[in-house]
Amino acid sequence: DTAALQLTLEAIVAKYTLDSAVSIQAVGEDIVTNVQADAEYIAASTTKAIVATYALSQVEKGDITLQSTISGTSLQTHITRMIVDSNNASWYALLEYFGYSNITAYANANGAPSFKAVPNTITPADMAKFIHNMHAGTLINKEHQTFLEGLMSTSYTGPIKLNDSFSSVIRKAGWLSDRAHLTGVVVSGDKAVSYAIYTQVGPNGGYTYANSSALINDVLTSVTAAL
C-alpha cells in the first residue's frame, strides 16, 4: 500500500526537527515513494557504494582485476576497506585512479543524473535509484553484486545506531558533524526495495546523531512492515 507508506514516511520526517528526505524504490517494479527526495545533499560516505560499483564494472570490462595494485594495495582490499570500514584513504585512491569525471559520468548514466563526484552531492531519489539498479543486476553481475552487498551487510555505521533487527540490513552509511545518511536495500522474501534516508541539521540547529538514528530506524521499520 504505497499511499499508506507515503503518509507514514511523511509523518516520520515531520516528527523530527531535522532537514530530512527519504526515497524508497521497489526493485523490479515501477513503484517509488519519495519524501522531499529531489533536493541535493552532501552525500558523505554513502556514495562510496557508487565508486565500488564503478570499480567492479571496470573489472567486468577486463580493464583491471580485483588483484590489481592501486597505491600499493589490491583493488579488492580497497573496496573492502572503503565499504566495510568507510576508509577514506581507499575512497580517495579509487577516485584518483579511475577519475572523478569518469565516475560521475557512470553514475549520471545509470540512475543518478544529479551525482557530482566533486563536491560529492546527490539527491536521495537518485541515490536510491542507483542502488536499485545495482541490486536489480543492470550494473554489475551477480557475483560482484553478492560481493558488494555482502560487504555492505557488515559495514560500519559510525554514529548511526541501528536497531538489532536491522543489524545485517544491506547498507552504506555516511556522516559528517551535522548529518547522517543511510542507503541500501531491504529484502523480505522475494521482494526488495532500495532506500536512501538522508538527514541533516534543521533550521533550528541542535543536531544530534540520536535523532538521525531514530528517524532512520523508524523509516526502516515502516518499510519492513510494508513489505
Side-chain angles (χ1 to χ4, degrees), residues 41-48 91 115-122:
Y41 283 71
I42 295 174
S45 293
T46 57
T47 54
K48 288 173 180 173
W91 186 22
F115 175 62
K116 305 178 188 69
V118 179
N120 191 31
T121 54
I122 197 170

Side-chain angles (χ1 to χ4, degrees), residues 39-167:
E40 289 190 0
Y41 283 71
I42 295 174
S45 293
T46 57
T47 54
K48 288 173 180 173
I50 292 177
V51 176
T53 304
Y54 177 84
L56 292 169
S57 75
Q58 300 309 293
V59 172
E60 292 176 18
K61 287 176 62 178
D63 293 343
I64 194 171
T65 73
L66 286 171
Q67 288 68 48
S68 296
T69 299
I70 299 171
S71 300
T73 301
S74 72
L75 174 59
Q76 182 168 339
T77 299
H78 276 309
I79 292 173
T80 300
R81 290 175 178 171
M82 182 176 64
I83 298 299
V84 175
D85 303 324
S86 210
N87 183 281
N88 286 336
S90 286
W91 186 22
Y92 299 146
L94 297 188
L95 283 166
E96 292 288 341
Y97 179 84
F98 290 112
Y100 289 78
S101 61
N102 290 332
I103 294 169
T104 296
Y106 174 80
N108 294 167
N110 287 288
S114 66
F115 175 62
K116 305 178 188 69
V118 179
N120 191 31
T121 54
I122 197 170
T123 67
D126 283 359
M127 189 71 240
K129 182 62 175 178
F130 185 90
I131 295 295
H132 168 283
N133 291 345
M134 183 274 290
H135 184 76
T138 63
L139 303 185
I140 51 178
N141 66 32
K142 184 64 176 178
E143 178 185 357
H144 287 144
Q145 175 202 331
T146 300
F147 167 64
L148 177 55
E149 292 186 351
L151 297 179
M152 293 171 72
S153 296
T154 62
S155 67
Y156 179 54
T157 58
I160 301 173
K161 305 303 179 185
L162 293 177
N163 295 343
D164 289 344
S165 56
F166 305 123
S167 61

